[in-house]
């Protein structure tokens, strides 16, 4: 005698609400069909549903996303780094206040390291109508330092997972892991912990069209931005209370039937976000314009703000971070968000003149302006040319002046820039040097601070 379990999963939606109406319609239809047949259905989200690039998410600080999960009747969810480290401590602490689903997360603790937040549980046992116990636990990516800066403590996920699985082996017949760790860690888990029957993953945006079998585990993941909805079917022996068959498939959202209200829903998200952020920041006497391939007013103004905010000797950033212009007249929160949607934080370094010289000369790389970056918090199109504050470069002699004086290779300087340059993909020096992340503020918060000071 067997029992069939239907599991649907999403991951890394990143507030791409243009795909949500189809996802919602599809999952509603599937859940209704299984309910008519008297079959068990579980619906899980594996994190990074919230992304503050979208005005609806920004305007609600993610609570609008939680309402969407509530409305669809999700069984449980976990958090990704976009929920965990792009919200101030009190905003994350309140994000799930009105949730109607279980928020499962084992490796996040309060700052004291002894208690988990009240809105999390480390594991949950779900019992089917035939008495089979399905144990679910979850872990999220180990950005320990960034969580600590925001007032949380994050435990190493494999250490936490070992403890949770030890308990679940005693409590559950079937074990499911919600993993916002990425494909490499998921594969490692499948090798180390054969007791895990199903690993539903995310974070690295990998696409497993028909899942992947590794040892005793089945891995499932659905890419990013709601391009796919994942489905797993488990056949369970009701007597032995074990999995006898398991299969996975992804449904491509672009091929799903849209609801009649699709366009109105998509537009509503945008309009609602704009209405929620229709608050005046400043009044500009003249427009501030942006160019990506030459120095222009708005990126330079932002770079100046960055240097001032971080109290730095000098600063640089790339003009492609600024995705539009600010027109003369009233500037609102929505306007600033529109041109700076990135979840990117200011970052500063104390470094020697020798290292500063090396970093600045690397910014002259002619390939960078047209680079179409994906990830690292960047939500733009291309990187654009570098703009500088208190940095002058003689491109013929490579001589550099800082605040009008020749760079001293033996002196210590403070450089302000953005956190995406610190993750090892750009400047080797900035990756290895000690750094200060200015959190929870984003670039747009720095720009609003300067606009209010200069033009309010």
């Amino acid at each position: 005698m067997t029992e069939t379990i239907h599991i649907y999963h999403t991951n890394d939606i990143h507030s791409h609400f243009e795909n949500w109406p189809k996802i919602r319609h599809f999952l509603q239809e599937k859940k209704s069909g299984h309910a008519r047949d008297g079959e068990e259905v579980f619906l899980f989200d594996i994190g990074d549903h919230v992304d503050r690039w979208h005005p609806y998410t920004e305007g609600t600080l993610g609570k609008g996303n939680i309402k969407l999960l509530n409305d669809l009747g999700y069984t449980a969810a976990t958090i990704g780094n976009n929920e965990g480290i792009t919200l101030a401590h009190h905003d994350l602490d309140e994000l799930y206040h009105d949730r109607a689903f279980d928020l499962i997360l084992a490796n996040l603790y309060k700052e004291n390291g002894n208690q988990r937040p009240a809105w999390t549980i480390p594991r949950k046992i779900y019992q089917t109508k035939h008495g089979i116990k399905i144990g679910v636990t979850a872990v999220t990516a180990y950005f320990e330092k960034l969580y600590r800066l925001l007032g949380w403590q994050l435990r190493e996920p494999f250490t936490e997972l070992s403890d949770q699985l030890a308990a679940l082996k005693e409590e559950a017949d079937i074990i499911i892991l919600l993993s916002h760790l990425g494909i490499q860690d998921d594969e490692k888990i499948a090798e180390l912990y054969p007791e895990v029957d199903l690993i539903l993953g995310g974070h690295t945006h990998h696409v497993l069209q028909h899942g992947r079998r590794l040892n005793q585990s089945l891995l499932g993941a659905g890419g990013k931005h709601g391009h796919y909805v994942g489905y797993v079917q488990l056949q369970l022996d009701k007597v032995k209370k074990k999995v006898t068959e398991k299969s996975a498939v992804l449904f491509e959202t672009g091929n799903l039937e849209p609801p009649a209200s699709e366009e109105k829903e998509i537009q509503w998200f945008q309009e609602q976000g704009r209405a929620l952020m229709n608050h005046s920041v400043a009044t500009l006497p003249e427009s501030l314009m942006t160019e990506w391939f030459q120095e222009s007013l708005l990126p330079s103004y932002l770079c100046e703000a960055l240097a001032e905010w971080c109290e730095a000797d000098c600063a640089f950033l790339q003009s492609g971070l600024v995705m539009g212009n600010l027109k003369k007249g009233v500037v609102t929160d929505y306007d600033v968000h529109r041109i700076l949607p990135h979840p990117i934080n200011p970052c500063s370094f104390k470094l020697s003149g020798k290292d500063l010289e090396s970093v600045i000369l690397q910014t002259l790389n002619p390939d960078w302006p047209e680079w179409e970056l994906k990830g690292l918090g960047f939500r733009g199109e291309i990187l654009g040319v570098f703009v500088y504050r208190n940095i002058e470069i003689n491109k013929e002699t490579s001589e550099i002046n800082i605040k009008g004086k020749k760079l001293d290779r033996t002196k210590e300087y403070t450089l302000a820039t953005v956190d995406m340059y610190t993750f090892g993909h750009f400047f080797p020096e900035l990756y290895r040097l000690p750094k200060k992340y200015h959190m929870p503020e984003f670039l747009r918060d720095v720009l609003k601070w300067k606009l209010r000071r200069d033009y309010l």
Side-chain angles (χ1 to χ4, degrees):
M1 296 289 289
T2 62
E3 182 178 15
T4 302
I5 304 297
H6 303 278
I7 298 169
Y8 295 88
H9 58 100
T10 54
N11 64 274
D12 297 278
I13 297 290
H14 285 279
S15 295
H16 275 262
F17 300 125
E18 70 273 16
N19 292 317
W20 191 255
K22 284 183 179 179
I23 293 172
R24 175 189 55 75
H25 183 65
F26 172 77
L27 290 174
Q28 284 175 333
E29 292 292 312
K30 289 295 183 181
K31 287 184 68 179
S32 295
H34 295 312
R36 286 194 300 269
D37 295 336
E39 295 178 322
E40 299 278 359
V41 183
F42 295 89
L43 181 52
F44 299 115
D45 185 80
I46 321 300
D48 277 4
H49 193 288
V50 170
D51 192 318
R52 292 176 61 183
W53 80 272
H54 195 286
Y56 179 62
T57 298
E58 180 73 353
T60 64
L61 285 175
K63 290 186 177 181
N65 296 66
I66 306 311
K67 185 178 186 303
L68 297 179
L69 298 178
N70 284 345
D71 291 345
L72 257 176
Y74 270 70
T75 309
T78 194
I79 75 167
N81 45 289
N82 271 266
E83 288 91 0
I85 59 177
T86 71
L87 291 165
H89 185 284
H90 65 275
D91 292 325
L92 177 57
D93 213 25
E94 294 178 0
L95 177 63
Y96 297 100
H97 184 267
D98 295 323
R99 74 193 183 283
F101 51 87
D102 294 316
L103 197 292
I104 304 176
L105 180 58
N107 64 322
L108 181 67
Y109 290 81
K110 294 182 179 181
E111 194 169 20
N112 60 21
N114 298 321
Q115 295 174 300
R116 294 183 177 88
W119 41 271
T120 67
I121 53 174
R123 61 185 182 273
K124 177 70 180 281
I125 302 293
Y126 299 96
Q127 189 162 319
T128 73
K129 63 187 66 178
H130 293 289
I132 297 176
K133 296 178 180 178
I134 299 176
V136 181
T137 189
V139 285
T140 197
Y142 192 52
F143 293 100
E144 186 273 335
K145 179 176 181 180
L146 299 181
Y147 276 92
R148 179 159 35 89
L149 290 172
L150 291 168
W152 302 103
Q153 187 172 132
L154 199 67
R155 192 182 185 198
E156 196 283 318
F158 279 79
T159 302
E160 186 65 63
L161 185 59
S162 294
D163 290 348
Q164 297 304 320
L165 292 179
L168 284 175
K169 282 192 292 186
E170 302 297 321
E171 301 170 0
D173 303 310
I174 310 298
I175 296 177
I176 298 173
L177 171 65
L178 313 182
S179 166
H180 197 88
L181 300 182
I183 182 61
Q184 290 184 329
D185 280 349
D186 290 352
E187 291 173 344
K188 184 177 177 181
I189 290 167
E191 293 173 355
L192 292 176
Y193 304 104
E195 61 268 33
V196 180
D197 296 281
L198 175 63
I199 302 170
L200 299 178
H203 184 51
T204 47
H205 300 172
H206 48 292
V207 177
L208 302 179
Q209 185 62 55
H210 295 284
R212 179 181 299 169
R213 292 179 180 272
L214 188 57
N215 294 332
Q216 301 302 310
S217 300
L218 175 64
L219 281 64
K224 64 178 181 178
H225 299 173
H227 295 317
Y228 298 95
V229 177
Y231 169 63
V232 173
Q233 185 178 108
L234 301 180
Q235 296 288 341
L236 311 178
D237 186 309
K238 291 191 289 188
V239 177
K240 295 181 180 180
K241 297 185 177 181
K242 297 293 183 184
V243 177
T244 57
E245 294 181 30
K246 46 190 170 185
S247 61
V249 68
L250 295 178
F251 293 96
E252 190 169 351
T253 306
N255 296 331
L256 300 180
E257 179 185 354
S261 60
E262 181 181 31
E263 291 303 320
K264 287 184 178 180
E265 288 185 54
I266 295 171
Q267 188 62 30
W268 182 87
F269 288 121
Q270 193 74 25
E271 292 174 351
Q272 187 73 3
R274 183 168 192 157
L276 289 166
M277 289 192 287
N278 190 31
H279 307 294
S280 175
V281 173
T283 302
L284 290 179
E286 300 293 340
S287 297
L288 294 175
M289 308 302 286
T290 298
E291 298 285 346
W292 289 342
F293 293 109
Q294 64 186 37
E295 188 173 348
S296 54
L297 283 175
L298 189 48
S300 295
Y301 184 76
L302 175 62
C303 193
E304 180 182 328
L306 186 63
E308 294 172 356
W309 177 271
C310 296
E311 299 180 335
D313 297 307
C314 56
F316 65 70
L317 51 78
Q318 280 172 285
S319 56
L321 284 162
V322 185
M323 297 177 62
N325 309 314
L326 291 180
K327 294 183 180 180
K328 175 182 177 180
V330 175
V331 174
T332 66
D333 285 322
Y334 176 83
D335 295 324
V336 177
H337 181 272
R338 172 180 54 81
I339 65 167
L340 290 170
H342 327 280
I344 287 177
N345 305 103
C347 188
S348 60
F349 303 81
K350 290 190 179 298
L351 71 173
S352 69
K354 179 181 177 181
D355 282 334
L356 179 60
E357 179 183 50
S358 175
V359 169
I360 291 172
L361 290 177
Q362 289 173 65
T363 67
L364 301 179
N365 185 332
D367 296 331
W368 281 20
E370 296 189 25
W371 189 6
E372 298 179 3
L373 177 66
K374 303 295 182 185
L376 303 182
F378 187 70
R379 301 294 185 257
E381 297 179 25
I382 59 172
L383 287 176
V385 298
F386 276 90
V387 295
Y388 307 91
R389 178 65 176 171
N390 295 333
I391 298 173
E392 297 174 349
I393 310 168
N394 186 322
K395 295 183 181 179
E396 293 183 1
T397 65
S398 296
E399 183 175 286
I400 298 169
N401 287 346
I402 304 296
K403 300 177 78 171
K405 296 182 179 180
K406 184 178 178 180
L407 181 145
D408 184 344
R409 300 180 90 223
T410 65
K411 182 180 177 180
E412 183 180 76
Y413 294 91
T414 302
L415 169 69
T417 187
V418 292
D419 65 4
M420 73 178 190
Y421 296 143
T422 71
F423 300 129
H425 299 266
F426 295 91
F427 305 100
E429 293 87 352
L430 298 189
Y431 177 66
R432 65 174 172 80
L433 284 170
K435 53 194 69 70
K436 179 180 180 181
Y437 294 102
H438 297 260
M439 300 177 72
E441 293 83 9
F442 291 155
L443 274 182
R444 56 180 172 267
D445 297 309
V446 173
L447 180 59
K448 286 191 287 187
W449 166 78
K450 185 167 175 60
L451 286 169
R452 290 188 181 108
R453 194 181 64 175
D454 292 351
Y455 297 110
L456 189 61

